[in-house]
Amino acid sequence: MTNQDLLALADTYGTPFYVFDLDALADRTRRIQTFFSGTASICYAMKANPFLVGPLKPQIERFEVCSQGEFHICERMGIPRKKIVLSGVSKTEEELMEVLEGGGAGIYTAESIRHLILLEQCGERKSAVLPVLLRVTSGNQFGMDRETVKDIVKRRKEYPFLHIIGLQYYSGTQKKKPEKVADEYRNFLRFAGELRDELGFEAKELEFGPGFPVPYFAGERWPEEEEWLNALKAAIEEEPAPVKVTLEMGRFLAAECGTYLTSVADQKRNEGENYLILDGGIHHVNYYGQMMAMKRPEMEFLPRKEGGSPETMWNLCGSLCTVSDVLVKEVPLPGPEIGDRIAFRKIGAYSVTEGIYLFLSRDLPKVLFFSEKEGPVLARDSLPTNVWNSPNEFNERKDRKQWKS
Ligand SMILES: Cc1ncc(COP(=O)(O)O)c(C=O)c1O
């Protein structure tokens, strides 16, 4: 997708919008899958960007789903049930029964003893044996500690409606060192070995979230992508255990395909500082690790006319009424004008869902897909949020004047 394509989208759809380059997404997914082929398969952690579930459907073997909302998105996108790993730290009986009534999921994770009991009860109600991964904690509110997992494994016969097929482990995102990820995997594998040696439990599946990072900011040094991939692959291949290894990935798959396009809505000079006001803002843009707008994410200035003006420093601010709505400070730009565009890159993961969208009751931005074959597709139009910020009673009233008087 070229900058010309991007500007054409801006003319057609207006800004701000996210656009996801589906060719880039498919290529990246294929590259990662090919790299791990024969070693591990890839599960897409859809929390990174639920809009990519549909486009990834033909390519991805599994989708990690962490809420009923995410589950409904998968249903809507026609994701086969067997591809769904129903995960998430909070599960209710109603939710589980809804999933089971409709045909169930491929795998369920248990994050606590309560989950385990709930899954057992729901399985019994449906007379179905549910395949379960026990989530091992990394020292936070997720999963269960190793002693608890061991205890469950020891007493696994007490759960006739559960088939404990293996373990899940994820310890956080945007990791810093490839070797650390590899060591975490080794440690995870060692624990599976303990369960085998001490309790005669053979895990059939290990689901591991490596938390691979995406380098977002100028001037930062990160290990090359190959180093991450090679380190983990080597660790998995060190011990060709008879288990299926699945790598849960969100950011690493999704970030690169996304661009956020926003336009200059105003410009001013206040007490010696230059400010651009953009039609988007921090409610739409969230780069992990950004600090007080001091770091410069990968971005591009797309002027409407090439001017050749000398560069001066600008603070890029959004449209929210808060002094913290600064996207980037001190960016050198050559004579920006109202209507010029600014593209923020690598926005495909998390920004689309992690923004503070309701603040100031501004509209949700449009979401576009783009591919060479299909061209642009409006995946979601901009949506008003103001209805969520006033009581239902008044939203339902067409005649707002009545309320005002
Ligand atoms: C269990 C689990 N797996 C995978 C992921 C995806 O993480 P990342 O975006 O770092 O790849 C997350 C993110 O929170 C997660 O909680």
Side-chain angles (χ1 to χ4, degrees):
M1 185 181 184
T2 64
N3 284 346
Q4 282 318 105
D5 293 326
L6 206 52
L7 291 171
L9 293 182
D11 289 340
T12 308
Y13 295 97
T15 58
F17 61 75
Y18 301 104
V19 57
F20 302 123
D21 180 341
L22 301 188
D23 298 328
L25 176 70
D27 285 352
R28 181 167 182 77
T29 306
R30 197 172 310 113
R31 204 145 37 83
I32 294 167
Q33 284 172 322
T34 306
F35 182 85
F36 283 107
S37 164
T39 302
S41 57
I42 306 299
C43 169
Y44 176 52
M46 67 174 287
K47 62 172 76 66
N49 185 340
F51 282 93
L52 304 184
V53 165
L56 285 172
K57 180 169 137 184
Q59 276 185 289
I60 283 284
E61 192 180 314
R62 278 187 191 168
F63 293 85
E64 196 232 6
V65 170
C66 284
S67 72
Q68 212 66 357
E70 288 195 343
F71 177 74
H72 289 147
I73 292 170
C74 283
E75 272 196 310
R76 222 172 285 145
M77 302 316 300
I79 302 300
R81 295 298 189 101
K82 64 179 185 321
K83 287 190 169 195
I84 292 177
V85 180
L86 199 74
S87 191
V89 73
S90 173
K91 298 176 176 78
T92 68
E93 187 178 347
E94 294 71 30
E95 289 169 348
L96 284 171
M97 284 315 295
E98 185 194 355
V99 172
L100 282 165
E101 293 299 346
I107 295 174
Y108 305 78
T109 70
E111 296 239 9
S112 66
I113 293 181
R114 187 180 161 274
H115 271 183
L116 205 74
I117 293 168
L118 209 55
L119 285 163
E120 168 74 10
Q121 288 169 344
C122 292
E124 185 170 11
R125 271 172 70 183
K126 278 301 288 178
S127 304
V129 176
L130 311 184
V132 170
L133 294 173
L134 302 177
R135 181 161 178 187
V136 182
T137 191
S138 60
N140 48 33
Q141 73 270 42
F142 301 105
M144 296 172 278
D145 60 36
R146 291 176 184 218
E147 284 315 305
T148 307
V149 170
K150 275 189 182 173
D151 195 49
I152 290 168
V153 168
K154 209 181 294 169
R155 295 188 293 104
R156 58 193 180 278
K157 294 221 163 58
E158 293 173 24
Y159 301 98
F161 291 94
L162 301 184
H163 178 203
I164 299 173
I165 57 171
L167 307 172
Q168 183 199 31
Y169 184 82
Y170 171 80
S171 72
T173 196
Q174 201 72 353
K175 295 281 172 51
K176 296 273 184 323
K177 294 197 175 124
E179 260 319 300
K180 183 137 189 299
V181 174
D183 281 346
E184 273 190 358
Y185 176 78
R186 289 187 191 101
N187 193 279
F188 182 44
L189 188 66
R190 247 191 319 272
F191 181 57
E194 279 175 34
L195 297 180
R196 182 190 56 232
D197 298 343
E198 293 173 21
L199 303 167
F201 170 75
E202 289 282 356
K204 291 192 174 50
E205 300 242 2
L206 293 180
E207 187 143 323
F208 178 74
F212 281 160
V214 173
Y216 287 124
F217 304 110
E220 288 188 347
R221 285 169 58 85
W222 284 87
E224 293 297 322
E225 197 156 292
E226 281 62 36
E227 291 184 49
W228 296 97
L229 296 170
N230 286 329
L232 181 56
K233 188 177 185 183
I236 299 173
E237 288 179 344
E238 264 163 33
E239 193 164 340
V243 291
K244 176 178 167 54
V245 176
T246 303
L247 301 175
E248 288 179 356
M249 288 184 189
R251 188 184 305 282
F252 196 66
L253 277 185
E256 199 182 82
C257 75
T259 298
Y260 174 71
L261 201 74
T262 173
S263 303
V264 176
D266 202 355
Q267 51 155 248
K268 61 183 89 169
R269 189 169 171 79
N270 280 353
E271 301 187 351
E273 288 274 327
N274 293 325
Y275 295 94
L276 289 185
I277 307 297
L278 306 175
D279 62 2
I282 57 163
H283 51 323
H284 300 162
V285 173
N286 192 9
Y287 286 107
Y288 190 98
Q290 177 61 292
M291 294 255 290
M292 319 267 290
M294 299 304 286
K295 297 185 185 181
R296 191 173 319 151
E298 205 173 291
M299 51 183 283
E300 220 168 327
F301 177 56
L302 303 171
R304 293 210 295 184
K305 46 183 195 292
E306 297 292 341
S309 312
E311 285 185 340
T312 46
M313 290 300 186
W314 292 85
N315 297 308
L316 309 190
C317 306
S319 299
L320 301 181
C321 291
T322 163
V323 284
S324 62
D325 193 8
V326 184
L327 284 159
V328 200
K329 281 184 183 154
E330 298 284 298
V331 184
L333 295 177
E337 291 180 1
I338 291 170
D340 287 346
R341 323 279 190 192
I342 296 181
F344 289 89
R345 306 292 188 184
K346 294 185 178 172
I347 204 95
Y350 296 106
S351 274
V352 74
T353 49
E354 279 192 341
I356 46 165
Y357 285 105
L358 298 188
F359 182 56
L360 222 71
S361 302
R362 289 203 176 274
D363 291 353
L364 293 182
K366 295 184 185 78
V367 175
L368 305 170
F369 290 153
F370 186 88
S371 66
E372 282 304 321
K373 193 160 160 243
E374 305 283 337
V377 172
L378 181 63
R380 180 189 74 196
D381 210 341
S382 59
L383 286 173
T385 67
N386 65 79
V387 288
W388 297 334
N389 285 340
S390 54
N392 287 340
E393 183 192 351
F394 297 103
N395 293 334
E396 282 155 16
R397 268 192 221 167
K398 297 270 184 301
D399 181 7
R400 295 271 170 151
K401 281 192 200 122
Q402 191 184 338
W403 168 63
K404 277 183 192 155
S405 59

